[in-house]
């Protein structure tokens, strides 16, 4: 049985986390379960941690508005080394992990929103702005106020059609890069604003199921666990390999274009320092 490299990564993820395998399309993209929105396992050099769906009730009827995926930079995952090799069930209940994801540390992370329903720019802008504003500190400095005003002004499009993509990338130093449908919307500088926006999706009162955003598991995405017995055993039971096929670790490394790690089989690869 031959499996694509992307599919191997999905299956290895499931083996690492103890969760059921993610649904995927023919190209090997992970599918957000409720909307079937496709999320590449590797996107702009970042690795998928999980997906969720935003649902709002309109006249008591639940309506899907957008899907959201969390991506993390594999080169800075050392910030989360305390959660190495933890199961998804443990991770999803660990509030300390979510607090770490909401800190302005060395970990670069991206929220990728994909509209599954057409709304106006004003509607989306108001929804995001209100959710962020309620989480901002009471004593905002000038930098935060300016950044928040900039965020509100980014939703000027008359319509955000189904399939429209919105990216929020939080880089160290409180830098929040925003991309609207493939176009650079600007760079906002405010740690408080970045933390408040990500809290909308990863905080205790998240508007989505925050545990789903780590469903692909950060343990597998770091790669260290892939060389361990249980994972190798799980992959052997799937029997996708021939003598010339890549190991599970090599498959993931190749999928993200990391030629320096491919061929190591996970042995001696220092993901924390990558």
């Amino acid at each position: 049985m031959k499996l694509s490299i992307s599919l191997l990564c999905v299956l290895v993820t499931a083996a690492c986390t103890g969760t059921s395998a993610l649904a995927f399309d023919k190209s090997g993209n992970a599918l957000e379960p409720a909307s079937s929105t496709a999320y590449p396992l590797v996107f702009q050099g970042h690795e998928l941690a999980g997906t969720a769906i935003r649902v709002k009730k309109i006249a008591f009827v639940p309506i899907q508005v957008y899907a959201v995926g969390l991506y993390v930079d594999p080169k800075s995952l050392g910030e989360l080394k305390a959660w190495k090799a933890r199961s998804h069930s443990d991770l999803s209940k660990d509030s300390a992990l979510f607090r770490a994801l909401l800190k302005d540390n060395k970990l670069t992370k991206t929220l990728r929103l994909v509209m599954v329903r057409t709304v106006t720019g004003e509607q989306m802008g108001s929804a995001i702005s209100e959710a962020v504003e309620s989480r901002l500190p009471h004593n905002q400095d000038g930098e935060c106020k300016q950044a928040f005003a900039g965020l509100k002004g980014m939703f000027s499009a008359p319509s955000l059609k189904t399939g429209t993509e919105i990216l929020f990338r939080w880089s160290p130093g409180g830098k929040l890069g925003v991309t609207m449908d493939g176009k650079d919307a600007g760079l906002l500088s405010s740690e408080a604003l970045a933390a408040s926006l990500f809290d909308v999706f990863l905080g205790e009162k998240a508007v989505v199921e925050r545990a789903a955003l780590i469903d692909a598991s950060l343990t597998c995405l770091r790669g260290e666990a892939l060389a361990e017995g249980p994972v190798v055993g799980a992959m052997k039971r799937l029997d996708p390999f021939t003598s010339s096929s890549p190991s599970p670790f090599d498959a993931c490394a190749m999928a993200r274009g990391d030629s320096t790690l491919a061929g190591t089989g996970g042995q001696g690869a220092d993901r924390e320092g990558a």
Side-chain angles (χ1 to χ4, degrees):
M1 177 174 63
K2 295 183 179 180
L3 300 177
S4 69
I5 288 175
S6 297
L7 175 52
L8 287 176
C9 285
V10 171
L11 294 173
V12 171
T13 294
C16 287
T17 62
T19 61
S20 59
L22 295 173
F24 53 91
D25 62 17
K26 293 181 179 179
S27 298
N29 298 311
L31 298 177
E32 190 287 312
S35 63
S36 295
T37 302
Y39 279 87
L41 296 181
V42 180
F43 178 74
Q44 296 181 355
H46 286 200
E47 297 180 352
L48 181 65
T51 64
I53 188 73
R54 173 61 168 134
V55 176
K56 294 192 72 172
K57 284 189 176 181
I58 300 177
F60 303 103
V61 178
I63 302 294
Q64 296 179 1
V65 184
Y66 55 83
V68 57
L70 173 65
Y71 285 86
V72 290
D73 180 2
K75 294 181 180 179
S76 56
L77 275 173
E79 290 289 321
L80 302 177
K81 61 184 177 181
W83 291 274
K84 176 181 177 179
R86 295 275 296 279
S87 68
H88 173 257
S89 59
D90 286 342
L91 291 173
S92 63
K93 300 173 184 175
D94 193 340
S95 58
L97 169 61
F98 292 97
R99 287 197 296 270
L101 288 169
L102 291 171
K103 286 183 179 179
D104 185 31
N105 47 33
K106 296 179 181 179
L107 178 63
T108 300
K109 47 255 180 186
T110 299
L111 289 168
R112 178 175 179 255
L113 280 59
V114 179
M115 305 303 300
V116 298
R117 177 184 177 85
T118 298
V119 301
T120 67
E122 182 180 2
Q123 288 174 323
M124 189 63 175
S126 295
I128 293 292
S129 298
E130 290 173 7
V132 171
E133 187 172 25
S134 66
R135 291 165 168 81
L136 289 172
H138 295 298
N139 298 321
Q140 302 170 25
D141 57 22
E143 183 181 62
C144 180
K145 292 179 180 179
Q146 182 178 1
F148 181 58
L151 177 66
K152 291 193 294 184
M154 290 179 174
F155 293 87
S156 58
S159 175
L160 297 179
K161 297 180 179 180
T162 299
T164 297
E165 176 188 85
I166 304 172
L167 301 179
F168 298 107
R169 175 161 294 178
W170 183 2
S171 302
K175 305 299 183 183
L176 184 67
V178 184
T179 303
M180 296 279 188
D181 208 18
K183 299 179 180 179
D184 182 15
L187 179 66
L188 306 172
S189 298
S190 171
E191 178 182 341
L193 178 71
S196 297
L197 189 145
F198 273 68
D199 186 85
V200 173
F201 303 96
L202 295 168
E204 293 184 357
K205 296 182 179 180
V207 299
V208 298
E209 183 185 355
R210 67 175 184 173
L213 288 175
I214 56 168
D215 195 48
S217 183
L218 301 171
T219 55
C220 180
L221 295 178
R222 280 199 303 276
E224 299 101 335
L226 297 183
E228 298 175 1
V231 175
V232 174
M235 296 309 296
K236 285 181 177 178
R237 287 193 296 274
L238 293 171
D239 195 27
F241 301 114
T242 65
S243 59
S244 61
S245 299
S247 71
F249 184 92
D250 295 338
C252 282
M254 291 165 62
R256 59 175 167 257
D258 196 341
S259 59
T260 61
L261 292 179
T264 67
Q267 301 296 332
D270 183 5
R271 296 293 289 125
E272 292 180 15

